[in-house]
């Protein structure tokens, strides 16, 4: 079952990738009943690996059998199409099998972030309104603390025991492995999943994901990656996330390949595991590549079979270092949002770009960049009331057209469980009366060749000294300094000052030279963009997909009475320690920034 696949070194052209993706998605229509569960019925071949874990694996036949048992269980519990079951599981082969089985009979699986606790977890459960929740034993205690505070129904545990939870796996083991009859035919227009936003700036929102979206993601990514039965995709991203749990899994399964499922990422053990597992594709988040590229030169990669790395968030400087040092034949960067109405793909291998739309694909990706007022955090409207499209290399908010025809599911905004939050993501009367566009909340620019580049999240970009400061640009410059290991940049309010002053939280090497850092920044950034304040931290708070959580740092600001980490302020020629005396001088306006 675990014999390594043969090498496949050929590199297709970008146009071939686009055409292949179009061909794979041509028959995906709202009325189709070919859900992912139905697609797996066609591939239920015993012995061929589907999901390969550390200690347990599922071939295609056993994957389908387990999914069918989950479907029988749901029906036996009296669940009907549209009812919800929450999953709070560690990465493992059974995870996708369970939600695929539930979705087969119309049950919506809410994929809970495994890092949630307390009020955040209670909120996620409450918005799901789940009839049941299935947890890993290690995560059950966190659930037990909040279940009574929610309307969630019965708690189950998978692969183990936990006090107050019923064991689910022995129940499923006694059920039929053949496909059950659903109450009604499930089509691609039906809901399948709830996937939560990362909640970097507040409580997470639950986004609706239809069977149509699952199949479109799966077949499209299988097309652009040229996935085949001899491929093995290395997946160490959280399976509660759309990339690690749906895109990576679905693309391999519809292509007949295998997913190497890992509980998490280990920089020290990564290359040995990739080599031993025979992985041919690596699904990345940019930060993972940065960790690997920053490893000491002595930590060389072992010979591997990777033909492709695909993911998002890979900075241009890290791209080149990662690709060259580890001999990665090809990198595909993409941009997408779980709830978004469009996606972008960089199939040409342009470092730093998140995508380009060929002319023959323009009708499939209705995207625009509109001029944006950073101070107001809103698109600019002219005297006629409409928005203005950005010129080449002008930064603006990326928006995607939402189909007026509900049958056009490819560009439909499926929204959140919170209707008010859904409405806030829509921009109306943009270029014509009555048109509706999805707001990404991301600032981008498009160069003269048509390549799109991510600039910043709205709310991250701020104004200081009358100028717009992009936190991503500042972070890139900081990260290039040898003494900086990790960085988060944000703006903080200063009494009596307009806008927000730049502040950087750093995880630094013990020998960080602040004078050298100051000179480094001064030589590479405009004066207004150089961080006014520094905060030295032992670690940054991140989400499960390595997005930095800034909300707490922004709230604490630069007050040494609230912040126990070392703080520094730009004294003009160097960074100096920010103590209570200097803080008071800043607040009173006696110290000029």
């Amino acid at each position: 079952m675990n014999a390594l696949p043969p090498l496949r070194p050929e590199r297709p052209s970008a146009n071939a990738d686009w055409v292949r993706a179009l061909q794979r998605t041509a028959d995906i229509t709202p009325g189709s009943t070919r859900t992912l569960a139905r697609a797996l019925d066609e591939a239920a071949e015993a012995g061929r690996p589907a999901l390969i874990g550390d200690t347990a694996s599922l071939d295609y036949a056993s994957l389908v059998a387990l999914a069918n048992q989950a479907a029988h269980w749901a029906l036996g519990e009296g669940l009907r199409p549209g009812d919800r079951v929450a999953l709070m599981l560690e990465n493992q082969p059974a995870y996708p099998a369970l939600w695929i089985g539930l979705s087969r009979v119309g049950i919506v699986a809410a994929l809970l972030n495994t890092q949630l606790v307390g009020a955040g977890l209670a909120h996620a459960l409450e918005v799901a309104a789940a009839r049941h929740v299935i947890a890993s034993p290690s995560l059950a205690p966190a659930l037990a603390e909040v279940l009574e505070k929610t309307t969630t129904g019965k708690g189950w545990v998978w692969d183990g025991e936990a006090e107050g939870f019923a064991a689910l796996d022995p129940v499923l083991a006694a059920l039929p492995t053949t496909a059950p009859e659903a109450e009604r035919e499930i089509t691609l227009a039906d809901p399948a999943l709830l996937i939560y936003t990362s909640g970097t700036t507040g409580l997470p929102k639950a986004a609706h994901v239809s069977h149509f979206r699952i199949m479109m993601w799966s077949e499209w990514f299988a097309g652009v990656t040229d996935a085949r039965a001899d491929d093995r995709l290395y997946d160490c991203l959280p399976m509660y996330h759309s990339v690690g749990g749906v895109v990576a899994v679905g693309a391999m399964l519809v292509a007949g390949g295998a997913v190497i499922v890992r509980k998490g990422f280990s920089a020290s053990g990564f290359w040995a595991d990739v080599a031993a597992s025979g992985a041919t594709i690596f699904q990345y988040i940019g930060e993972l590549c940065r960790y690997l590229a920053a490893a000491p030169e002595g930590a060389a990669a072992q010979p591997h079979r990777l033909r492709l790395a695909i993911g998002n968030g890979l900075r241009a400087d890290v791209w080149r270092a990662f690709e060259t040092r580890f001999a990665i034949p090809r990198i595909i960067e993409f941009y997408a949002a779980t709830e978004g109405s469009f996606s972008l793909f960089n199939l040409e291998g342009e470092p730093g770009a998140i995508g380009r739309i060929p002319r023959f694909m323009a009708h499939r990706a209705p995207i625009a960049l509109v001029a944006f007022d950073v101070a107001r955090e809103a698109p600019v409207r002219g005297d006629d009331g409409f928005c203005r499209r950005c010129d080449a290399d002008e930064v603006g908010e990326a928006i995607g057209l939402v189909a007026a025809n509900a049958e056009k599911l490819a560009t439909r905004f499926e929204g959140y469980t919170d209707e008010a939050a859904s409405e806030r993501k829509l921009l109306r009367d943009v270029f014509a009366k009555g048109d509706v566009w999805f707001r990404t909340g991301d600032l981008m620019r498009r160069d003269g060749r048509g390549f799109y580049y991510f600039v910043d999240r709205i709310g991250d970009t701020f104004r200081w000294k009358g100028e717009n400061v992009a936190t991503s640009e500042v972070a890139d410059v900081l990260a290039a300094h040898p003494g900086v290991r990790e960085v988060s940049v944000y703006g903080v309010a200063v009494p009596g000052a307009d806008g927000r002053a730049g502040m950087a939280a750093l995880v630094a090497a013990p020998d960080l030279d602040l004078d050298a850092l100051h000179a480094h920044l001064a030589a590479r950034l405009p004066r207004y963009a150089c961080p006014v304040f520094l905060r030295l931290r032992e670690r940054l708070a991140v989400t499960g997909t390595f997005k930095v959580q800034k909300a707490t740092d922004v709230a604490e600001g630069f007050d040494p009475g609230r912040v126990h980490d070392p703080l520094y302020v730009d004294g003009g020629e160097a960074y100096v320690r920010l103590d209570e005396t200097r803080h008071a001088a800043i607040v009173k306006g006696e110290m000029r920034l």
Side-chain angles (χ1 to χ4, degrees):
M1 180 172 177
N2 291 322
L4 296 183
L7 292 172
R8 181 155 56 91
E10 74 271 14
R11 176 171 177 164
S13 69
N15 280 347
D17 294 332
W18 288 115
V19 171
R20 193 182 311 106
L22 286 170
Q23 290 172 337
R24 292 197 69 109
T25 57
D27 296 329
I28 300 178
T29 58
S32 171
T33 59
R34 189 176 181 268
T35 63
L36 184 56
R38 289 288 185 88
L40 288 176
D41 287 343
E42 304 162 9
E45 179 183 329
R48 188 154 55 89
L51 298 160
I52 304 171
D54 288 307
T55 58
S57 299
L58 294 173
D59 64 14
Y60 274 84
S62 55
L63 165 59
V64 170
L66 179 55
N68 287 338
Q69 288 172 321
H72 278 289
W73 168 78
L75 296 177
E77 289 293 320
L79 301 183
R80 303 182 61 193
D83 285 341
R84 296 167 180 170
V85 172
L87 304 184
M88 193 170 182
L89 297 165
E90 297 173 339
N91 278 17
Q92 57 188 296
Y95 193 152
L98 291 174
W99 71 251
I100 290 169
L102 294 171
S103 70
R104 179 178 201 120
V105 289
I107 311 306
V108 176
L111 310 185
L112 299 179
N113 185 328
T114 57
Q115 298 189 70
L116 289 176
V117 295
L121 178 55
H123 168 79
L125 284 167
E126 199 62 21
V127 299
R131 296 274 303 276
H132 297 266
V133 59
I134 305 169
S136 291
S138 62
L139 303 172
L143 274 169
E145 289 184 6
V146 301
L147 275 179
E148 292 184 359
K149 304 174 186 176
T150 73
T151 57
T152 306
K154 187 174 182 180
W156 300 78
V157 71
W158 179 263
D159 192 22
E161 298 179 351
E163 185 177 353
F165 289 75
L168 181 60
D169 34 321
V171 174
L172 263 59
L175 296 175
T177 59
T178 54
E181 289 189 17
E183 177 180 307
R184 62 172 174 80
E185 198 78 80
I186 305 302
T187 73
L188 296 191
D190 282 307
L193 300 172
L194 288 180
I195 297 181
Y196 295 78
T197 61
S198 56
T200 53
T201 56
L203 292 172
K205 299 186 292 290
H208 294 290
V209 176
S210 65
H211 285 279
F212 178 90
R213 191 164 287 241
I214 290 173
M215 289 306 292
M216 184 61 73
W217 288 345
S218 299
E219 295 287 4
W220 190 270
F221 276 78
V224 297
T225 60
D226 192 19
R228 305 179 193 175
D230 59 0
D231 273 314
R232 291 185 175 189
L233 184 147
Y234 191 91
D235 185 8
C236 59
L237 301 179
M239 291 190 125
Y240 57 75
H241 192 263
S242 54
V243 174
V246 183
V247 171
V249 172
M252 285 299 101
L253 295 183
V254 297
V259 184
I260 299 162
V261 180
R262 294 297 180 257
K263 287 188 176 182
F265 170 73
S266 167
S268 60
F270 178 82
W271 288 113
D273 197 21
V274 164
S277 64
T280 59
I281 303 174
F282 168 40
Q283 183 80 52
Y284 69 77
I285 292 290
E287 282 296 278
L288 304 189
C289 301
R290 186 178 69 80
Y291 293 150
L292 293 169
E297 286 298 327
Q302 298 188 21
H304 60 75
R305 292 170 172 260
L306 291 180
R307 65 175 182 84
L308 170 67
I310 181 169
N312 50 43
L314 185 57
R315 301 198 315 254
D317 57 330
V318 178
W319 181 312
R320 293 185 176 92
F322 180 70
E323 184 178 40
T324 302
R325 178 177 174 185
F326 301 117
I328 307 298
R330 190 184 187 196
I331 294 174
I332 295 179
E333 175 82 1
F334 70 88
Y335 169 88
T338 299
E339 68 275 45
S341 61
F342 71 91
S343 55
L344 293 167
F345 291 84
N346 174 3
L347 303 178
E348 289 88 348
E350 181 70 18
I354 60 174
R356 187 183 72 85
I357 303 170
R359 188 172 301 174
F360 70 90
M361 285 294 299
H363 69 289
R364 295 276 302 220
I367 176 178
L369 302 185
V370 291
F372 190 81
D373 185 331
V374 171
R376 291 176 51 246
E377 293 195 355
V380 175
R381 291 187 182 267
D383 294 338
D384 59 2
F386 297 125
C387 298
R388 177 178 64 81
R389 294 179 186 269
C390 291
D391 297 326
D393 287 316
E394 180 183 4
V395 174
E397 183 179 3
I399 59 176
L401 183 64
V402 175
N405 183 351
E407 291 298 303
K408 293 184 177 179
L409 298 186
T411 55
R412 185 178 74 174
F413 173 50
E414 298 183 346
Y416 309 108
T417 54
D418 182 339
E419 292 185 9
S422 298
E423 183 58 32
R424 287 194 293 270
K425 292 294 286 187
L426 298 177
L427 192 62
R428 301 180 183 276
D429 301 331
V430 179
F431 303 119
K433 205 69 178 171
D435 65 352
V436 181
W437 293 70
F438 169 78
R439 295 190 63 181
T440 63
D442 291 329
L443 298 176
M444 301 182 190
R445 67 175 178 85
R446 185 185 65 249
D447 68 16
R449 299 172 299 162
F451 283 102
Y452 288 82
Y453 296 84
F454 178 83
V455 174
D456 225 338
R457 287 289 296 168
I458 290 173
D460 283 350
T461 290
F462 56 89
R463 286 183 71 79
W464 180 245
K465 302 296 185 182
E467 300 284 353
N468 295 339
V469 180
T471 60
S472 58
E473 177 187 4
V474 179
D476 285 349
V477 173
L478 280 163
H481 188 275
V484 175
R485 293 174 176 171
E486 297 182 55
V487 60
S488 169
V489 178
Y490 46 94
V492 292
V494 178
D498 292 330
R500 290 184 289 157
M503 186 166 184
L506 305 178
V507 178
D511 58 350
L512 174 65
D513 185 333
L514 288 178
D515 290 341
L517 178 63
H518 191 278
H520 171 85
L521 293 169
R524 292 164 177 81
L525 289 173
R527 189 77 183 96
Y528 64 82
C530 292
V532 176
F533 303 104
L534 299 181
R535 176 178 181 173
L536 302 187
R537 305 197 62 176
E538 291 185 1
R539 66 181 63 84
L540 300 181
V542 296
T543 69
T545 50
F546 300 94
K547 294 178 182 177
V548 177
Q549 295 178 307
K550 301 181 181 182
T552 301
D553 287 355
V554 171
E556 292 177 345
F558 58 96
D559 183 356
R562 300 183 64 187
V563 177
H564 301 297
D565 300 317
L567 293 174
Y568 294 84
V569 61
D570 187 350
E573 299 299 323
Y575 283 110
V576 295
R577 191 64 183 258
L578 178 57
D579 53 19
E580 296 284 359
T581 302
R582 285 198 174 100
H583 177 262
I586 294 170
V587 171
K588 294 176 183 178
E590 298 171 354
M591 180 176 177
R592 186 176 178 180
L593 301 179

